[in-house]
Amino acid sequence: MLIRRETPADAAAIAAIHRAAFAPHYLGDPAVTEPPEPALVDALRADESWMPTLSLVALTYDTVVGHICLTRAGIGPFPVLALGPLGVDPDHQKTGVGSALVHAALGAADALDESVVGLVGDPDYYSRFGFVPGARRGIVPDQADWAEYFQVRPLAAYDPAVTGEFRYPAPFYDL
């Protein structure tokens, strides 16, 4: 497996991966005909929060099998990062692709002297990467119903003074 930055040529494969990875989460919901994650990635690419150096794909041979992106978010006046979406082709799930992408993204963010990464996701999954409930660090999501799943991962440049309300990039609120 190789992990590298996404290129424009990867866009269709990335959309297909997110569509396939997230479709099972919406089964039985007649209001959802298409998972929103592919459109979210497209909207993020067009947003000022987009950080091309932190949008990564995993490849096996020449096939894109996973994608992750980090985008610019904020905690009050402090710039931080938001993780998501993370998608892995269903045929490659539970093989380490997602873990490799998370490790690579966190390592890249750390190398860029970023301080904190926040996300809304499964605590059982993300705790293995050092994510903790945001409230433990004095960081809360700006949407109260996200609190149970909101987590942060301090990086080497973390400053404990960075506390307050976490705000995702605008496209996350259009889901």
Side-chain angles (χ1 to χ4, degrees):
M1 176 180 18
L2 170 71
I3 295 177
R4 64 161 170 76
R5 281 177 60 169
E6 97 170 49
T7 68
D10 298 323
I14 290 168
I17 284 167
H18 287 299
R19 193 172 295 110
F22 286 98
H25 299 284
Y26 301 99
L27 287 176
D29 185 345
V32 179
T33 58
E34 168 89 357
E37 286 78 8
L40 172 61
V41 174
D42 287 342
L44 287 168
R45 283 189 192 108
D47 191 72
E48 66 186 359
S49 65
W50 186 246
M51 301 179 74
T53 56
L54 295 176
S55 181
L56 307 174
V57 292
L59 294 99
T60 57
Y61 303 102
D62 291 332
T63 303
V64 176
V65 297
H67 174 255
I68 191 171
C69 62
L70 299 173
T71 50
R72 179 61 65 208
I75 299 172
F78 303 106
V80 297
L81 296 174
L83 186 153
L86 163 64
V88 176
D89 178 78
D91 291 338
H92 291 84
Q93 290 177 1
K94 303 202 184 309
T95 65
V97 172
S99 292
L101 282 165
V102 173
H103 284 298
L106 292 175
D110 201 42
L112 293 171
D113 287 328
E114 296 292 341
S115 63
V116 175
V117 177
L119 64 84
V120 173
D122 180 358
D124 290 335
Y125 181 77
Y126 287 101
S127 65
R128 71 183 84 178
F129 307 107
F131 282 88
V132 297
R136 284 191 196 166
R137 298 287 185 165
I139 302 169
V140 297
D142 63 352
Q143 304 290 312
D145 57 331
W146 293 349
E148 180 181 355
Y149 299 99
F150 179 71
Q151 302 156 73
V152 297
R153 169 63 156 79
L155 301 173
Y158 173 68
D159 179 351
V162 176
T163 61
E165 194 172 78
F166 181 93
R167 177 124 181 107
Y168 270 99
F172 279 89
Y173 300 94
D174 297 332
L175 290 178

